[in-house]
Amino acid sequence: MTTNTSDGIEPDAEGTEAADQVFEEIDNRRSLTGVALVAVALVGIAFSAYQLWLGARGFVFEFTIPGLTTVRLGSLSSLQVRAIHVNFALVMAFLLFPGSTGNGAITGRLAALPSIARDRFGDSPVTRAAEGIRRGIWWLFVDEESTRIAPSDLALVLLSTFPTAYYLTQYDEITDIIRVRGLAGAGTLGEVVPWLSAAEVGFLAEYSLAYLMGVLAILLVLEATRRALGLLLTLLVSLFLLYAKYGYLLPRDLPVAQTFATSELRWNQIVQNLWYTVEGILGVPVGVSVRFIYIFILFGAFLEMSGAGKWFIDLAYSITGTRKGGPAKASVVASGFMGMLSGSSVANTVTTGALTIPLMKRSGYSPEFSGAVESSVSSGGQILPPVMGAAAFLIVEYTGTPFRDVVIAATLPAIAFFFGMWVMVHFEAAKHGIGGLSRSDLLDLGPHMRRGWFYLVPLGLLLYYLVIARLSVGRAGWLTIIATVALISMVAAYNERTGPYLVGAVAAGYALFAVSLASLGVTPIELAYGADAAEYGVTGALGEALSSLPTIITAISVAFLLADPRGDAPLLDLDDDVVDAATWFDDRTGFEVASSRAGQFGSFVLKAMDSGAKTATIVVVAVAAAGIIPGVIGITGLGGSLRALIISVSGGSLVLLLILAGLAAVIVGMGMPTTVMYIIIVVLLGPVLPEFGIAILAVHLFVLYLGLMADVTPPVMVAAYAAAGIAKSDPFETGKQAFLLSLNKILVPFAFVFSPGILLLRTTDGQGSILTGADVSDLGFFLPEVVAPVVAVFAGVYALGVAIIGYYHTDVRAGARVSLIAAAVLLSVPGMVLLPASAAFGLVGIDVALYSVTNELVARGVGGALLVVGLVRNRRRAGGEEGDDDDGSDRRERPDSQTAASQ
């Protein structure tokens, strides 16, 4: 792992070393070198190139040679595209993750065999045979140092291509025979591949080739899951598989067991459903990965490798670093942004934590609090628009909601969470007298903005494509990647000497395209490819030429780079990983790529493609494995039974149902990727909550928010453990504080479930839609159901923050803390009080409906009064105890004790 650093603030060696150590402990990927490293990189680049082609050209693989012919490689169906997508991920998983490091129960026993034989037989042929067997097994399967690709890994890579090859070559059999007659009607190995008929012995003759390929695919997905994601998810998915086959054995005369009992299924039915339909491995989750998730992971990789990550971290410190508790406030901003790009709580915690946690500790925060802040905000990055995490794209698919609407709906809740984090780190700083960093330790904001303002362009374009132009998610991601590449190519080619010529050439290229469109109806490139002409006016030609601007910029910039590859590039500041990769290549080949701006640009593109593939591998394997769960639920009919059971357990109470859903999301999310947690919970609980009149988008965002709590919830709390390793703090105490700091992830989703106006939704008959101008002008709706809940939830988050930290000008007493928590609940989620109160009155025979818009406003008013009274009392008490020394304003100077602590 390479830690991003800035020119103004450098992490200490201890922080970087701790981060690297933690990363090695939590990341079980191999550390490859030489030919193996290059081979894996090439596979990753091919994976990204495949996805970029899909984003640009769709499922048709053809290209035109100008003036000669069009070469058509073929056209793929959706299932074939998904199979290749999963195949790439399997290959990457088998190459990146060792199957065994020799520390397991089985390998431990095998390793002991030679010593046992030596004790019994001495130096005999038996002992030598045992040692030889041990060496052979280790050579074939075991990678003790996680530094080599074993022969068994290569065998699995080869086997993983067989099911995909069957999909590509025998698709007619899948559509015409298997879907009609089932797997039993498909051909055997000799019938499908006549020249292999001699190999038809044993099970190869007994079962159809399609069945064998389906079984192989399922087993390979399980093995890749075990390697990349651990045994827990593998066992969970395996349990569902066994349930599909043997669930019919559950006794039907027991109350709970009869709910889960199923009809008897044959293995070929299960395999067909899980591999040859869109209900299993190649189902909705993998489809979303093909269309949306991968392209946005790749966009994040391009943006991060361009140097945007470290530029945004420096920007956060430049803006907030001098304020009270500045390092922690900078962590809130920087980690939120980086988490949005990476989509991984743990990876973000380690990457940004190497810089932020040591700075927080030096400024005066405790090690536990420093680690808790970093892990909490890092896990919150997945709810921050516009990129968000992979689960956001699953929301798009499962709900049928445009991604634009998901981004708009998620904006205010995300701001509320980060506002709450800001409040808590501020009052923790006030509580302990923690100042900010010296301005001399930070980069000046003006020069920093001038040096890297262009990093804001890709994010601005992404918002434009999604929100204003309303392009599809995949198309918007593809165009933003192209714009990012064009931007960095121009930055690489730009310097004082070439700048005017570069800008002039780009302007001339744009003018040429516009003139060509206006006069000929095609661009110069389209003219070379023989494209059909269209009618454009002047305005239309200018607009259409604008869409070709990234291509123009890239082509001209690359020409400048090739003409002067070793010129200076003062604005080019690529990520350290890009520079390290180029340097590694130079050291082994004798080239000078790292010292050439043309070489650096090429390294940037290739490294981003490689990094994106490695990041996406875990996600693709996760969604492929998770797809088995809804596939089993669908074929067994478990969904309906679970729905009835959930409603029965909740007693028809929305409050209880939400609490159960939240607990389930947190529990399932422990040790699971967010995407897997989301799929499981949505499949099990998603169909139930809308029956209570909750907007479906609110339901899905609710599940996402609560599931993210698992990353900081004891005892698993993977993000908190990572932060504790860097902070050198007590892990459990760090996790406990991270959980408390993240309680806004519970308060806010409960708030927007009861008040969808916080999501900028208007709900009618359980159907939510983004607010329109007419909704805003309807003041009778807009003020009580949008403005009031939004203001109240921010006030509630503030109240909760003060209660958690226990400080407002002076320490907050226990009774006042309880009052502030009550204020937070009444302000944010009055329905959590009004609905149970109505039920309680019903128990004593009083039928009253307390849950209404009017009563919500009254409850929010009571909560607001409790908040104001509590804060005023605490401030007056502080004035009586200490005078007005601590007025809560930002301190720009550090106390002497902190200065000494930082030295």
Side-chain angles (χ1 to χ4, degrees):
M1 185 200 73
T2 302
T3 304
N4 286 332
T5 63
S6 70
D7 296 330
I9 302 176
E10 297 288 340
D12 56 23
E14 183 180 354
T16 303
E17 183 180 349
D20 288 339
Q21 183 178 354
V22 169
F23 189 78
E24 290 175 4
E25 290 175 358
I26 63 176
D27 184 34
N28 59 339
R29 282 186 292 186
R30 290 184 167 108
S31 299
L32 299 173
T33 58
V35 176
L37 178 63
V38 174
V40 173
L42 290 176
V43 174
I45 292 168
F47 193 2
S48 293
Y50 170 73
Q51 290 297 139
L52 287 172
W53 182 280
L54 294 178
R57 304 292 296 273
F59 296 173
V60 177
F61 291 80
E62 66 179 20
F63 58 92
T64 300
I65 302 175
L68 295 177
T69 184
T70 296
V71 179
R72 185 181 178 89
L73 301 178
S75 177
L76 302 179
S77 70
S78 177
L79 278 174
Q80 289 174 315
V81 166
R82 296 180 188 186
I84 296 173
H85 183 76
V86 171
N87 198 167
F88 265 119
L90 293 177
V91 171
M92 290 289 289
F94 296 139
L95 295 177
L96 285 173
F97 301 96
S100 173
T101 56
N103 297 320
I106 297 176
T107 52
R109 290 183 175 89
L110 289 174
L113 286 179
S115 61
I116 294 173
R118 187 172 297 279
D119 291 340
R120 286 193 176 186
F121 305 105
D123 188 12
S124 66
V126 174
T127 301
R128 289 192 291 272
E131 291 174 344
I133 292 172
R134 188 264 184 197
R135 284 194 300 270
I137 292 175
W138 251 242
W139 179 77
L140 283 171
F141 299 103
V142 179
D143 179 17
E144 286 184 309
E145 303 297 327
S146 293
T147 55
R148 74 179 186 99
I149 297 173
S152 58
D153 301 320
L154 296 177
L156 289 174
V157 167
L158 178 62
L159 287 174
S160 71
T161 63
F162 292 168
T164 305
Y166 179 82
Y167 244 114
L168 294 176
T169 59
Q170 305 299 321
Y171 194 67
D172 287 342
E173 183 175 59
I174 295 172
T175 56
D176 299 340
I177 298 176
I178 294 176
R179 290 181 182 175
V180 177
R181 299 168 53 193
L183 289 176
T188 61
L189 175 64
E191 293 170 341
V192 175
V193 189
W195 59 274
L196 288 177
S197 57
E200 279 193 336
V201 293
F203 66 90
L204 291 178
E206 183 178 354
Y207 299 104
S208 67
L209 181 61
Y211 174 77
L212 296 174
M213 292 299 99
V215 171
L216 178 61
I218 294 170
L219 293 176
L220 289 170
V221 167
L222 289 175
E223 171 59 11
T225 303
R226 183 189 68 84
R227 292 180 177 219
L229 298 160
L231 198 57
L232 179 61
L233 179 57
T234 308
L235 292 176
L236 178 63
V237 173
S238 301
L239 184 63
F240 270 87
L241 281 170
L242 293 174
Y243 169 75
K245 177 66 174 114
Y246 301 109
Y248 73 96
L249 297 176
L250 292 172
R252 297 179 182 270
D253 53 351
L254 296 179
V256 177
Q258 67 181 3
T259 303
F260 296 97
T262 68
S263 57
E264 185 174 0
L265 296 171
R266 299 187 304 276
W267 276 119
N268 60 2
Q269 292 175 291
I270 298 170
V271 170
Q272 179 180 343
N273 186 73
L274 294 181
W275 183 243
Y276 293 104
T277 71
V278 293
E279 303 297 327
I281 293 172
L282 304 181
V284 170
V286 167
V288 173
S289 179
V290 170
R291 295 163 53 202
F292 306 147
I293 295 176
Y294 194 104
I295 205 74
F296 269 79
I297 289 176
L298 199 54
F299 164 65
F302 270 97
L303 199 57
E304 187 175 356
M305 292 300 112
S306 72
K310 58 184 177 181
W311 184 84
F312 273 101
I313 291 175
D314 288 341
L315 179 64
Y317 274 95
S318 296
I319 295 173
T320 67
T322 59
R323 302 176 67 85
K324 177 181 293 184
K329 291 175 178 176
S331 173
V332 171
V333 177
S335 297
F337 173 80
M338 292 298 293
M340 174 183 66
L341 291 184
S342 71
S344 169
S345 304
V346 177
N348 184 34
T349 298
V350 176
T351 302
T352 59
L355 175 65
T356 60
I357 290 176
L359 284 174
M360 282 189 276
K361 288 171 61 179
R362 289 206 301 268
S363 66
Y365 289 104
S366 70
E368 286 75 17
F369 189 84
S370 301
V373 169
E374 179 59 46
S375 57
S376 183
V377 293
S378 291
S379 64
Q382 295 185 64
I383 59 175
L384 185 63
V387 179
M388 304 178 68
F393 304 106
L394 291 169
I395 292 175
V396 171
E397 191 71 12
Y398 277 116
T399 65
T401 306
F403 189 70
R404 165 185 176 273
D405 291 357
V406 175
V407 167
I408 293 172
T411 298
L412 285 179
I415 293 174
F417 167 71
F418 283 95
F419 168 73
M421 289 297 306
W422 183 284
V423 167
M424 287 184 281
V425 299
H426 173 81
F427 284 115
E428 181 74 9
K431 184 177 182 179
H432 297 287
I434 299 172
L437 299 172
S438 171
R439 172 49 68 184
S440 61
D441 292 335
L442 302 170
L443 295 174
D444 291 333
L445 183 59
H448 186 64
M449 286 296 296
R450 287 194 294 273
R451 183 176 176 81
W453 62 268
F454 48 83
Y455 289 123
L456 298 170
V457 172
L459 291 176
L461 281 175
L462 180 62
L463 285 172
Y464 169 78
Y465 290 140
L466 290 173
V467 178
I468 299 176
R470 301 193 178 194
L471 299 180
S472 67
V473 179
R475 188 64 178 168
W478 155 254
L479 291 175
T480 311
I481 289 175
I482 296 304
T484 304
V485 173
L487 183 69
I488 301 306
S489 69
M490 192 169 185
V491 168
Y494 180 88
N495 56 41
E496 270 189 34
R497 182 174 58 82
T498 63
Y501 303 102
L502 178 64
V503 173
V506 169
Y510 172 75
L512 175 63
F513 268 59
V515 170
S516 178
L517 285 167
S519 58
L520 302 176
V522 292
T523 67
I525 296 176
E526 290 171 338
L527 183 65
Y529 280 91
D532 296 330
E535 292 291 335
Y536 293 100
V538 175
T539 303
L542 292 173
E544 186 66 19
L546 193 62
S547 65
S548 300
L549 191 57
T551 303
I552 297 170
I553 291 175
T554 303
I556 293 174
S557 298
V558 169
F560 271 72
L561 289 173
L562 294 176
D564 184 15
R566 301 196 178 281
D568 62 316
L571 298 180
L572 189 64
D573 189 19
L574 299 175
D575 187 86
D576 294 341
D577 282 348
V578 177
V579 178
D580 291 345
T583 303
W584 180 91
F585 181 80
D586 290 350
D587 290 343
R588 284 154 181 78
T589 61
F591 290 101
E592 296 182 354
V593 172
S595 60
S596 160
R597 59 179 183 168
Q600 289 183 27
F601 172 70
S603 299
F604 153 70
V605 174
L606 295 177
K607 183 60 182 177
M609 294 174 71
D610 174 39
S611 176
K614 289 176 179 175
T615 302
T617 293
I618 297 177
V619 177
V620 178
V621 170
V623 295
I628 292 176
I629 295 173
V632 169
I633 291 175
I635 196 174
T636 58
L638 180 62
S641 301
L642 281 174
R643 175 180 165 277
L645 179 63
I646 292 167
I647 293 177
S648 174
V649 170
S650 66
S653 168
L654 174 60
V655 173
L656 183 56
L657 180 59
L658 288 173
I659 292 173
L660 291 174
L663 287 173
V666 172
I667 293 171
V668 173
M670 290 183 179
M672 294 277 189
T674 305
T675 47
V676 176
M677 173 282 303
Y678 169 83
I679 292 168
I680 294 173
I681 298 300
V682 162
V683 168
L684 297 180
L685 299 178
V688 179
L689 289 171
E691 295 187 9
F692 289 82
I694 304 172
I696 189 169
L697 181 55
V699 170
H700 287 248
L701 286 173
F702 175 86
V703 171
L704 175 59
Y705 268 70
L706 269 296
L708 288 173
M709 282 294 295
D711 290 339
V712 292
T713 300
V716 179
M717 54 184 190
V718 287
Y721 271 125
I726 299 172
K728 299 190 181 304
S729 60
D730 178 76
F732 186 81
E733 184 63 26
T734 303
K736 185 179 75 174
Q737 291 197 32
F739 177 81
L740 292 174
L741 293 176
S742 297
L743 284 177
N744 286 323
K745 291 200 199 87
I746 296 177
L747 184 67
V748 172
F750 273 91
F752 64 61
V753 162
F754 281 95
S755 301
I758 297 170
L759 297 174
L760 302 181
L761 293 178
R762 185 167 191 171
T763 304
T764 305
D765 298 328
Q767 300 297 317
S769 59
I770 294 295
L771 299 182
T772 63
D775 295 322
V776 175
S777 62
D778 183 3
L779 297 182
F781 157 77
F782 186 67
L783 292 178
E785 298 193 44
V786 179
V787 175
V790 169
V791 173
V793 78
F794 276 87
V797 164
Y798 188 91
L800 184 62
V802 174
I804 290 171
I805 299 301
Y807 187 88
Y808 183 78
H809 296 285
T810 188
D811 290 337
V812 181
R813 292 171 177 169
R817 281 193 175 193
V818 173
S819 176
L820 286 171
I821 292 173
V825 173
L826 287 172
L827 280 163
S828 304
V829 207
M832 292 289 287
V833 177
L834 297 175
L835 280 176
S838 296
F841 278 116
L843 292 176
V844 297
I846 302 175
D847 187 12
V848 57
L850 295 178
Y851 184 50
S852 66
V853 174
T854 302
N855 288 339
E856 274 194 324
L857 291 174
V858 172
R860 294 187 202 276
V862 172
L866 287 173
L867 172 60
V868 172
V869 169
L871 296 182
V872 170
R873 282 182 175 176
N874 224 61
R875 183 159 190 168
R876 286 178 178 173
R877 187 164 61 84
E881 292 174 357
E882 308 171 13
D884 290 323
D885 291 341
D886 185 7
D887 60 358
S889 61
D890 288 345
R891 295 176 182 169
R892 302 302 175 110
E893 301 295 332
R894 290 186 191 170
D896 293 339
S897 61
Q898 292 165 52
T899 303
S902 66
Q903 291 176 347

